[in-house]
Amino acid sequence: QSPMSSPAPVRYFSESEVSQHRSPSSCWVLLANRVYDVTGFLRRHPGGEALILSRAGTDVSRQMEGPPHRHSENARRWMEQYYIGELRKDPGGTQTVRERRKGSQQTPEEEMGASRCSSVNTETDLVDWRKPLLWQVGHLGEKYDDWVHQPVDRPIRLFYSDIIEACSKTSWYMVPIVWLPVVAYLSWYCYSSLARGDTRLFASFTTDYSIPIHKYTFPFMFLLGMFLWSLVEYLIHRFLFHMKPPASNYYLITFHFLLHGQHHKSPYDGSRLVFPPIPASLVIVAFYGLVRLLMPEALGVSIFVGGLCGYVVYDMIHYYLHYGSPSKGSYMYGLKAYHVKHHFEHQRSGTGWPLFLCSIF
């Protein structure tokens, strides 16, 4: 067996050591005799950061079992990524982990950081995480559906090409930076075009019964676009993103992972929570061409720009539900709890309906 594959020695902590880690900068909990450093999970917890901090340094076994909420198997698997050692049952002992490991080249803090990053067992996992995943997942066959719905806490690489890989990721703030100026310009353009008074519905069929479109209808067309975007997003999410690709079809599995499977495999990969501007522009241009083809320009673009604004709102809400800390009892708090259950408990049944409503209201 190679040195890289040999298991790391188990580290032991006293109860007093664990109880000292009760702050946002260092938060540990116990699950029976196992010790977990959940500092990196505080902001992501659907119950809020304060709920974990109130139990920091203590055993959370009862809270994991419930009531009021029994944590799912995926939540328990996820927690194992934060495992750092075992509880030492010697009340009389005073020697700390730092003292016992004094001769080590790494400090415990450095070792804990490495432990949190090594969240996937690269020796036993069904794919090779050292290589891009997109071209591997299609070979999983019937194992793909279970594998993709067992979330991990680590970034995903999809492509071999550094350029294509960079285009497949983005920071959350790039979405409003790129698209809100487009929304502002097209809104002004549509209102100005409607103000000229020459936009009429059904004018391509008949001039006798065509309906004039007044400039004051623009806000209603804009809201209609937001509604239509939300409806389209829900239908795509429900029937395309959450389809179960045939186990024998390599290309459909690969396509599903590219579209949405990679998000469920790594739901906290911050660079893949919103739609990157370059691939998004291809979809947006296609929708723009469709509305221009089907409707008078000013009317069609008015609806289109509302849909584009709805998309920006949707993406920002989605990012916030993963990384935000809404106040307990607020609407967004409940929405975050629902969405996290979608990732960890009800991956196939919860398919975006609350986000659909939230994009409208």
Side-chain angles (χ1 to χ4, degrees), residues 174-186:
M174 291 304 297
V175 173
I177 285 176
V178 171
W179 298 117
L180 286 184
V182 178
V183 169
Y185 170 76
L186 289 179

Side-chain angles (χ1 to χ4, degrees), residues 6 28 46 83 88 94 101 106 131 140 154 156 180 226 236 250 257 263-264 291 295 351 360:
S6 60
W28 294 9
Y83 170 78
R88 174 160 45 84
T94 57
R101 299 292 298 254
Q106 284 186 306
K131 299 177 182 179
L140 296 180
R154 63 170 294 158
I156 282 178
L180 286 184
M226 292 189 72
I236 291 174
Y250 170 89
F257 189 73
H263 175 52
H264 273 264
V291 297
M295 305 178 196
T351 51
I360 301 172

Side-chain angles (χ1 to χ4, degrees), residues 126 137-148 244-249 253 348:
L126 297 177
V137 294
H139 296 295
L140 296 180
E142 61 184 14
K143 297 179 181 179
Y144 169 75
D145 192 61
D146 287 335
W147 175 85
V148 82
K244 185 176 180 179
S248 59
N249 196 314
I253 292 175
R348 298 171 183 84

Side-chain angles (χ1 to χ4, degrees), residues 32-170:
N33 292 326
R34 295 171 69 82
V35 184
Y36 299 85
D37 179 0
V38 295
T39 309
F41 187 64
L42 288 176
R43 288 182 58 201
R44 308 173 184 179
H45 185 245
E49 181 176 333
L51 189 61
I52 298 184
L53 286 173
S54 68
R55 300 182 174 102
T58 66
D59 191 341
V60 296
S61 298
R62 187 177 65 82
Q63 286 75 24
M64 290 291 288
E65 290 297 330
H69 169 65
R70 188 180 189 278
H71 289 69
S72 67
E73 289 304 314
N74 270 333
R76 295 165 189 272
R77 271 193 294 264
W78 182 273
M79 190 170 180
E80 289 306 310
Q81 298 174 104
Y82 302 102
Y83 170 78
I84 57 173
E86 299 285 328
L87 185 65
R88 174 160 45 84
K89 290 289 188 178
D90 54 343
T94 57
Q95 190 181 33
T96 66
V97 172
R98 182 182 293 273
E99 291 168 340
R100 293 200 309 272
R101 299 292 298 254
K102 192 172 182 181
S104 174
Q105 292 182 347
Q106 284 186 306
T107 66
E109 288 79 8
E110 291 170 334
E111 291 174 341
M112 283 184 285
S115 174
R116 286 199 297 270
C117 291
S118 302
S119 56
V120 175
N121 189 333
T122 56
E123 299 296 326
T124 61
D125 201 75
L126 297 177
V127 297
D128 187 348
W129 285 84
R130 295 164 295 187
K131 299 177 182 179
L133 298 189
L134 185 61
W135 314 116
Q136 301 183 58
V137 294
H139 296 295
L140 296 180
E142 61 184 14
K143 297 179 181 179
Y144 169 75
D145 192 61
D146 287 335
W147 175 85
V148 82
H149 289 118
Q150 294 178 14
V152 298
D153 187 14
R154 63 170 294 158
I156 282 178
R157 184 179 179 99
L158 293 177
F159 300 97
Y160 284 99
S161 167
D162 291 337
I163 295 176
I164 299 177
E165 178 69 12
C167 292
S168 72
K169 303 187 293 185
T170 190

Side-chain angles (χ1 to χ4, degrees), residues 2 7 15 35 44 70 95 114 118 129 141 171 201 232 252-253 268 302 308 311 339 358:
S2 66
E15 288 190 60
V35 184
R44 308 173 184 179
R70 188 180 189 278
Q95 190 181 33
S118 302
W129 285 84
S171 300
L201 193 60
V232 167
L252 271 183
I253 292 175
Y268 290 104
S302 296
L308 182 58
Y311 152 69
H339 190 66
C358 195

